[in-house]
Amino acid sequence: MEPVPETRSAMPMIGALKVKAQILCGEEFALGPGKADLLEAIAQEGSISAAGRALGMSYRRSWLLVDTMNRCWAEPLVQTMAGGGKGKGARLTPLGREVLEGYRALEASLAQASAEPLKALAAKLLPAPRASQHPDSEG
Amino acid sequence: MEPVPETRSAMPMIGALKVKAQILCGEEFALGPGKADLLEAIAQEGSISAAGRALGMSYRRSWLLVDTMNRCWAEPLVQTMAGGGKGKGARLTPLGREVLEGYRALEASLAQASAEPLKALAAKLLPAPRASQHPDSEG
């Protein structure tokens, strides 16, 4: 498996906090951390199969995620190039780039907004959990 | 199964957006939407088993979640009353109430911060996905 690209940021960590943003289209997930990473990888790798490999994802799964994204927005986010077979290329459409940028901006905004409310919580948080003494008992 | 309390808000929905905030203590989840709901239900129901039932959760699972929370913070968040058996009561400690309030404040802050960046994305989002024509093909 190829190394994960360094730009990947599936769930942004802010101190001890993970924030996950998912955008729904009806009952399907139009975009979330995994799909955003896939869009980014497609832009970098130039094909859906290479992008999937870079993220440790099967070809079938990356195609299904792209299919969902392409059905949830006003226009498709990913365009496949002419030609046949798995080796052919793919790229983001203008809307694909716009949606990816918008999602990263949303993540940045969430990270910024969490800083202050997290402080008070983090002050009471242990760096690691105490040992469980009797998890099923009444203690 | 008892109805879910109306104050429950596992993943706040803002338009088409779900935002999930999880606080980590080492590699364990010290707090997230499910644990926050459990704290709230314990405060309402006065016992861990009743709180679990109200959320459709097994007794074992609610106890394990409480155990994790009680090990991740400077002091326990939930205190069980004297007495024996499953029927005995439980309540939030002062720190439990403080952490629950802090978490709801964090969620509110995230919801507010998402409003503006979500607008641009939502304008391009379909209300429901288009039908899949050939999810495994190259179309």
Side-chain angles (χ1 to χ4, degrees):
Chain A
M1 192 187 306
E2 293 175 18
V4 170
E6 285 182 16
T7 51
R8 185 168 179 242
S9 60
M11 282 174 98
M13 286 290 300
I14 309 107
L17 182 68
K18 279 187 185 183
V19 176
K20 184 179 186 178
Q22 293 179 307
I23 298 172
L24 281 158
C25 170
E27 294 182 353
E28 292 202 53
F29 289 106
L31 199 61
K35 289 193 177 78
D37 287 345
L38 182 58
L39 288 179
E40 209 162 83
I42 289 168
Q44 282 170 8
E45 305 285 337
S47 90
I48 295 173
S49 52
R53 268 198 309 276
L55 297 173
M57 199 184 282
S58 74
Y59 178 70
R60 177 178 161 80
R61 176 156 172 76
S62 24
W63 256 107
L64 288 173
L65 295 181
V66 167
D67 180 66
T68 301
M69 288 192 274
N70 278 354
R71 292 185 293 104
C72 282
W73 300 86
E75 295 161 29
L77 306 189
V78 175
Q79 180 185 25
T80 50
M81 312 305 192
K86 290 191 178 183
K88 75 177 184 177
R91 63 180 169 201
L92 303 194
T93 63
L95 183 60
R97 285 194 297 274
E98 186 185 328
V99 164
L100 176 59
E101 279 170 27
Y103 183 79
R104 294 304 186 207
L106 171 65
E107 286 185 320
S109 180
L110 293 174
Q112 194 176 17
S114 68
E116 198 56 38
L118 184 62
K119 264 189 207 168
L121 287 168
K124 306 289 187 174
L125 188 67
L126 298 179
R130 280 184 286 268
S132 183
Q133 307 216 324
H134 28 200
D136 280 320
S137 86
E138 295 152 11
Chain B
M1 191 186 309
E2 292 174 20
V4 170
E6 286 183 13
T7 51
R8 185 165 179 246
S9 59
M11 280 173 100
M13 286 289 300
I14 309 107
L17 183 68
K18 279 188 185 182
V19 177
K20 183 180 186 179
Q22 292 179 308
I23 297 173
L24 281 159
C25 170
E27 292 181 354
E28 293 202 53
F29 289 106
L31 199 61
K35 290 193 177 76
D37 287 345
L38 182 57
L39 288 179
E40 209 162 82
I42 289 168
Q44 283 170 6
E45 304 285 337
S47 91
I48 295 174
S49 52
R53 268 198 308 277
L55 298 174
M57 201 183 282
S58 74
Y59 178 69
R60 179 180 161 79
R61 176 157 171 77
S62 22
W63 257 107
L64 289 174
L65 295 182
V66 166
D67 179 67
T68 302
M69 286 191 274
N70 278 353
R71 293 184 293 103
C72 283
W73 300 86
E75 295 161 30
L77 305 190
V78 176
Q79 180 185 25
T80 52
M81 313 304 194
K86 290 191 179 184
K88 73 175 185 177
R91 63 180 168 202
L92 302 194
T93 62
L95 183 60
R97 287 193 296 275
E98 185 185 327
V99 164
L100 177 59
E101 278 170 27
Y103 183 79
R104 294 303 186 208
L106 171 64
E107 287 185 319
S109 180
L110 292 174
Q112 193 177 17
S114 68
E116 197 57 38
L118 185 61
K119 263 189 208 167
L121 287 168
K124 305 290 187 173
L125 188 67
L126 298 179
R130 281 183 285 267
S132 182
Q133 304 217 325
H134 30 200
D136 280 320
S137 87
E138 296 153 8

